[in-house]
Amino acid sequence: MLFTRAAGVATCTGPARGSDDADPAGLREGVAVAVESGRIVAIGSERELGGRFGQAEVVDCAGRLLTPGLVDSHTHAVFGGWRGDEYALRSRGVPYMEIARRGGGILSSVRHLRERSEDELLEMALPRLAEMLDQGTTTAEIKSGYGLSTEAELKTLRVIDRLREMQPVELVATFLGAHEVPADYRDRRQDYVDLVVEEMIPAVADSGLARFCDVFMEPGVFDRAESERILRAGLDQGLRPKIHADELEGSGGAELAAELGAASADHLGDISPEGVAALARSSTVATLLPGTLFFLGRTSYAPARALLDAGATVALATDFNPGSCPTPSLPFIMTAACSQMGMSPAEALRASTAGGAAALELPAATGTLAPGAPADLVLWDVSSVAELPYRLATPIVRSVWKKGKQVR
Amino acid sequence: MLFTRAAGVATCTGPARGSDDADPAGLREGVAVAVESGRIVAIGSERELGGRFGQAEVVDCAGRLLTPGLVDSHTHAVFGGWRGDEYALRSRGVPYMEIARRGGGILSSVRHLRERSEDELLEMALPRLAEMLDQGTTTAEIKSGYGLSTEAELKTLRVIDRLREMQPVELVATFLGAHEVPADYRDRRQDYVDLVVEEMIPAVADSGLARFCDVFMEPGVFDRAESERILRAGLDQGLRPKIHADELEGSGGAELAAELGAASADHLGDISPEGVAALARSSTVATLLPGTLFFLGRTSYAPARALLDAGATVALATDFNPGSCPTPSLPFIMTAACSQMGMSPAEALRASTAGGAAALELPAATGTLAPGAPADLVLWDVSSVAELPYRLATPIVRSVWKKGKQVR
């Protein structure tokens, strides 16, 4: 298979931060991309590859932009119902934390998820994954965390596992038992942390259904000591750590993520300067979710420029969930990153591909177009990298390939 | 034709401002909608209308939300090329006005439009109108203003006129010769204002190709005296006034709009308290374009709540244009209005239908579902009004009818 006549091939092999000398999108012009057995085998001049792969099926990109498939490294896409009703309340000025205190928020999603069977959750998740694919996502992380009991958490992880066979988006599962303290543990939160550490984590590790263990570390949710205990218990059982850190209020989550060597610290809306420095010194990816802050009505976003300038690796993700960010669209997240966070289009694209792959600790070259990388490709109805975030809220995906197979 | 079994029918007959006693969306449940000869003829109980219109073709809405077609009352959808390159510059911190001073901004769109033939502009506009229709828009205003010569302005208006016959979105044309001072008049702006008043306006009025005359009144563009002179010249020739008012900096545009009895004052990002009061006392519609401020990286928006609370009629529109807001999506604008401006989903829907129709001075009942209204309808893949803005950047339009004919 030979992809020819693209306006540009964004290899996404550049550094996270753009400069006069370095293009995060790794844009190449006048090149073709050769694919064999689901992997990229060569990128080179049209003429050279036309000779080497003369028998291959040709995909004529006809002046359009070719990029890696997008990697959405932070979603909660398995849930039991939308929460538009809460959105109407919030638009009247009722704050998210107040809605949560009234039994809404995450706990209403917990009720929804517990009420639904595995098959029902599966049926509800399929169209959401199709929407993500429609927006260019070929690999996505999905978290549990609306179960908050050992059985309901395992049920969620089994749904994620079964979804793998039923549709083309490649899925990475994260256990998020520490998403919230469930209603039945409200007056004995210590018991809930014990349950997560002593029962859930061993059961999840034993099931082999999750790669990561995540915690919502935030004032009013889990504190630093609880978060560290949970993540260390996960590490002991082979679950790599991730943290919902400093989302709406600073809590030292970024610092803890760096200290534990977490795969990523996510949100960072109120990260401290010390947190920025800690992430920059570490291999922990700073995963930014600007759609959430936009949707919640905030006007200040994570300090993307400070993170990039300090040398951190940055990923962008949707946070797709029914409460604080019901969007499957990484292209919209790229617009938010460029318009509101000062990222360049090339930085935003790199953060939504190679950056996301790094946040999921996927094999090197995933999220890029380079020999050896999986042939996950998106052809866009635009001709430049800048136009990806520029075409605000417009569907511009033309075609998608997963491991060399056209899936859209 | 009988629309049955909708989860709800949002008639959009309520007031602009929601309260415990009044629903701007005018939501009715358990009702059917009867259509004959392209108009709505009845809304009533399923049972009653099932009897009265027993022979009609049935459209089974199957638990989905039915609303009026959206009315996008402020766009610049006829243009000669995208400007993604400028977006990349802006993301690096170069301000919009600085890009304009370098020959970018509106003036680059002027070069693009002048270079293109009428047929080319027509071909380029068609997919954009199709995208608007895909997002639920059945009526749209389009402004000239990238021509800035008598001939190029008339060319634009002819393109808008020809587009009417070629696709289903109903179009209303606005003459915006005073969008910017063109490069060749930079050192003699008074001559350009004379040209607009003495040559363009009579020619446009004579052509019958525009209903409105608009001015970009903003510090650095056209001042109050120039704007008033142009709009009064338009009024004398039968062109109803509109104003780009107080977009990024206050200029008294809202006050002037009210004084002239303009159809609408648009943008209002920096409207004064006096401007709010003036609009509330007048019949001039306050047209808000939050997508533009979001896309330009602003974090403060027009004071929607102050306008609604004061009693102004509010419309929402996309501002679809290649510089400051390249989106065809009114549903995204509704999200921005609810998440960032404190509007309720019902207020946002009403502002995107009946509010837009008021800003275009369309016949009463346009933009609503009521007997006598045109049968412009959208069936959405959601079941509640709140879910329209809630489903951030997700395509949720299922089907669209224009004057009773299914067009999507």
Side-chain angles (χ1 to χ4, degrees):
Chain A
M1 196 177 247
L2 192 63
F3 292 79
T4 65
R5 298 212 312 139
V9 173
T11 62
C12 297
T13 50
R17 177 179 180 275
S19 67
D20 289 345
D21 303 321
D23 170 20
L27 185 72
R28 297 179 64 182
E29 295 178 350
V31 297
V33 178
V35 168
E36 282 179 351
S37 305
R39 297 216 158 253
I40 292 167
V41 291
I43 300 185
S45 75
E46 298 266 354
R47 195 168 140 185
E48 184 208 332
L49 267 59
R52 271 177 69 193
F53 300 91
Q55 304 304 310
E57 174 196 348
V58 167
V59 178
D60 182 353
C61 299
R64 298 188 174 87
L65 181 72
L66 191 66
T67 75
L70 306 183
V71 180
D72 192 348
S73 62
H74 183 135
T75 90
H76 307 253
V78 172
F79 53 87
W82 298 104
R83 283 161 37 203
D85 50 340
E86 289 179 15
Y87 187 58
L89 284 178
R90 274 218 312 283
S91 73
R92 280 182 230 142
V94 185
Y96 186 71
M97 285 301 183
E98 170 62 25
I99 289 171
R101 274 188 288 269
R102 293 185 196 177
I106 289 170
L107 292 183
S108 72
S109 282
V110 171
R111 286 193 304 277
H112 296 157
L113 187 125
R114 288 180 177 180
E115 285 163 7
R116 299 288 185 175
S117 72
E118 215 173 293
D119 285 349
E120 285 173 324
L121 291 169
L122 201 72
E123 286 305 314
M124 296 174 95
L126 280 170
R128 295 175 206 142
L129 291 172
E131 283 169 356
M132 294 167 78
L133 187 71
D134 282 347
Q135 305 264 6
T137 296
T138 54
T139 300
E141 186 252 25
I142 305 181
K143 301 177 195 295
S144 69
Y146 296 131
L148 307 191
S149 72
T150 305
E151 176 42 32
E153 287 293 301
L154 286 169
K155 177 171 79 171
T156 312
L157 295 172
R158 285 195 300 271
V159 170
I160 299 169
D161 194 49
R162 287 175 61 192
L163 284 166
R164 291 201 172 90
E165 309 301 311
M166 299 177 70
Q167 53 75 49
V169 178
E170 183 175 339
L171 301 178
V172 175
T174 294
F175 164 67
L176 177 57
H179 197 190
E180 178 56 286
V181 176
D184 38 332
Y185 282 84
R186 183 91 329 169
D187 300 324
R188 43 189 187 115
R189 53 181 298 123
Q190 185 56 43
D191 290 354
Y192 186 67
V193 176
D194 290 346
L195 180 75
V196 170
V197 167
E198 291 163 17
E199 186 176 300
M200 289 192 198
I201 286 174
V204 167
D206 193 49
S207 74
L209 290 170
R211 187 181 300 175
F212 297 98
C213 177
D214 195 348
V215 175
F216 190 4
M217 177 171 162
E218 187 84 4
V221 195
F222 293 96
D223 68 19
R224 185 187 157 111
E226 292 164 338
S227 300
E228 181 167 354
R229 181 177 165 218
I230 290 164
L231 293 170
R232 287 200 187 276
L235 265 170
D236 285 345
Q237 305 265 348
L239 297 171
R240 296 278 305 133
K242 278 182 173 286
I243 306 185
H244 280 65
D246 309 315
E247 175 172 349
L248 303 175
E249 289 180 55
S251 63
E255 291 89 327
L256 177 61
E259 193 180 314
L260 294 175
S264 65
D266 299 36
H267 282 295
L268 309 177
D270 196 29
I271 188 176
S272 68
E274 295 73 29
V276 172
L279 291 182
R281 280 191 308 268
S282 76
S283 63
T284 299
V285 175
T287 299
L288 310 183
L289 309 155
T292 310
L293 294 165
F294 171 75
F295 191 75
L296 291 178
R298 301 290 172 125
T299 52
S300 100
Y301 294 86
R305 281 256 65 87
L307 285 158
L308 287 165
D309 291 348
T313 294
V314 169
L316 288 169
T318 59
D319 196 17
F320 189 14
N321 79 77
S324 61
C325 196
T327 189
S329 173
L330 261 175
F332 171 70
I333 300 301
M334 286 192 246
T335 309
C338 297
S339 279
Q340 293 285 333
M341 297 167 73
M343 290 178 73
S344 74
E347 288 169 343
L349 176 60
R350 199 250 179 225
S352 304
T353 53
L360 295 178
E361 300 184 336
L362 295 174
T366 308
T368 72
L369 299 184
D376 299 349
L377 296 145
V378 181
L379 188 64
W380 303 84
D381 269 332
V382 300
S383 57
S384 70
V385 169
E387 281 174 277
L388 292 179
Y390 165 79
R391 294 288 296 276
L392 168 62
T394 309
I396 51 170
V397 168
R398 186 171 184 89
S399 305
V400 181
W401 291 261
K402 180 67 190 177
K403 295 184 179 161
K405 187 181 156 200
Q406 187 166 357
V407 291
R408 189 183 175 283
Chain B
M1 194 176 248
L2 191 63
F3 292 79
T4 66
R5 297 212 312 140
V9 173
T11 62
C12 296
T13 49
R17 177 178 180 276
S19 67
D20 290 344
D21 303 321
D23 170 20
L27 186 72
R28 297 179 64 182
E29 297 178 348
V31 297
V33 178
V35 167
E36 283 180 350
S37 305
R39 297 216 160 252
I40 292 167
V41 290
I43 302 185
S45 76
E46 299 265 354
R47 192 168 142 187
E48 185 209 330
L49 267 58
R52 270 176 69 192
F53 299 92
Q55 304 306 309
E57 174 196 349
V58 167
V59 178
D60 183 354
C61 298
R64 297 188 175 88
L65 180 72
L66 191 65
T67 75
L70 306 184
V71 180
D72 191 348
S73 63
H74 184 136
T75 91
H76 306 254
V78 171
F79 53 88
W82 298 104
R83 282 160 37 201
D85 49 342
E86 290 178 15
Y87 187 58
L89 284 178
R90 274 217 313 282
S91 73
R92 281 181 229 143
V94 185
Y96 186 71
M97 285 302 184
E98 170 61 25
I99 290 171
R101 274 189 286 271
R102 293 186 196 176
I106 289 170
L107 293 183
S108 71
S109 282
V110 171
R111 286 193 304 277
H112 295 158
L113 186 126
R114 289 180 178 181
E115 285 163 6
R116 299 290 185 173
S117 72
E118 216 172 291
D119 285 348
E120 285 174 324
L121 291 169
L122 201 72
E123 286 305 314
M124 298 174 94
L126 280 170
R128 294 175 207 142
L129 291 173
E131 284 169 355
M132 294 167 78
L133 187 70
D134 282 348
Q135 306 264 6
T137 296
T138 54
T139 300
E141 185 253 24
I142 305 181
K143 301 176 195 295
S144 68
Y146 295 132
L148 308 192
S149 71
T150 306
E151 175 41 33
E153 287 293 301
L154 286 169
K155 177 171 78 171
T156 311
L157 295 171
R158 284 194 301 271
V159 170
I160 298 169
D161 194 50
R162 287 175 61 193
L163 284 166
R164 290 202 173 89
E165 309 301 312
M166 299 177 69
Q167 52 75 52
V169 178
E170 183 176 339
L171 301 178
V172 175
T174 294
F175 165 66
L176 178 57
H179 197 191
E180 178 57 285
V181 176
D184 39 333
Y185 282 84
R186 185 85 338 165
D187 300 324
R188 45 192 185 112
R189 54 181 298 123
Q190 185 57 44
D191 290 353
Y192 186 67
V193 176
D194 290 346
L195 180 75
V196 170
V197 167
E198 292 164 15
E199 186 177 298
M200 289 191 197
I201 287 175
V204 167
D206 192 50
S207 75
L209 290 171
R211 187 181 303 175
F212 296 99
C213 177
D214 194 347
V215 174
F216 190 3
M217 178 171 161
E218 187 86 2
V221 195
F222 293 96
D223 67 19
R224 183 185 160 112
E226 292 164 338
S227 301
E228 181 167 353
R229 183 177 164 216
I230 290 164
L231 293 171
R232 287 200 186 277
L235 266 170
D236 285 346
Q237 305 265 347
L239 298 171
R240 294 279 304 135
K242 278 180 173 288
I243 305 184
H244 280 65
D246 310 313
E247 176 172 351
L248 304 176
E249 288 179 56
S251 63
E255 291 90 326
L256 178 60
E259 193 180 315
L260 293 176
S264 65
D266 300 34
H267 282 296
L268 310 177
D270 196 29
I271 187 176
S272 67
E274 294 74 27
V276 172
L279 290 183
R281 279 192 307 269
S282 75
S283 63
T284 299
V285 174
T287 299
L288 310 183
L289 308 154
T292 309
L293 294 164
F294 170 76
F295 190 76
L296 291 178
R298 301 291 173 124
T299 53
S300 101
Y301 294 85
R305 280 257 65 86
L307 286 159
L308 287 165
D309 291 347
T313 293
V314 168
L316 289 169
T318 60
D319 198 16
F320 189 14
N321 79 77
S324 60
C325 196
T327 189
S329 174
L330 261 175
F332 171 70
I333 300 300
M334 285 192 246
T335 310
C338 297
S339 279
Q340 293 285 334
M341 297 167 74
M343 289 176 75
S344 74
E347 289 169 342
L349 175 61
R350 199 248 178 227
S352 304
T353 52
L360 296 178
E361 300 184 335
L362 295 175
T366 308
T368 72
L369 299 184
D376 299 349
L377 295 147
V378 180
L379 188 65
W380 302 83
D381 268 333
V382 299
S383 58
S384 70
V385 169
E387 282 174 275
L388 293 178
Y390 166 78
R391 296 288 297 278
L392 170 61
T394 309
I396 50 169
V397 168
R398 187 172 183 87
S399 305
V400 181
W401 290 263
K402 181 67 190 178
K403 295 183 178 162
K405 187 181 157 199
Q406 186 167 358
V407 290
R408 189 181 174 283

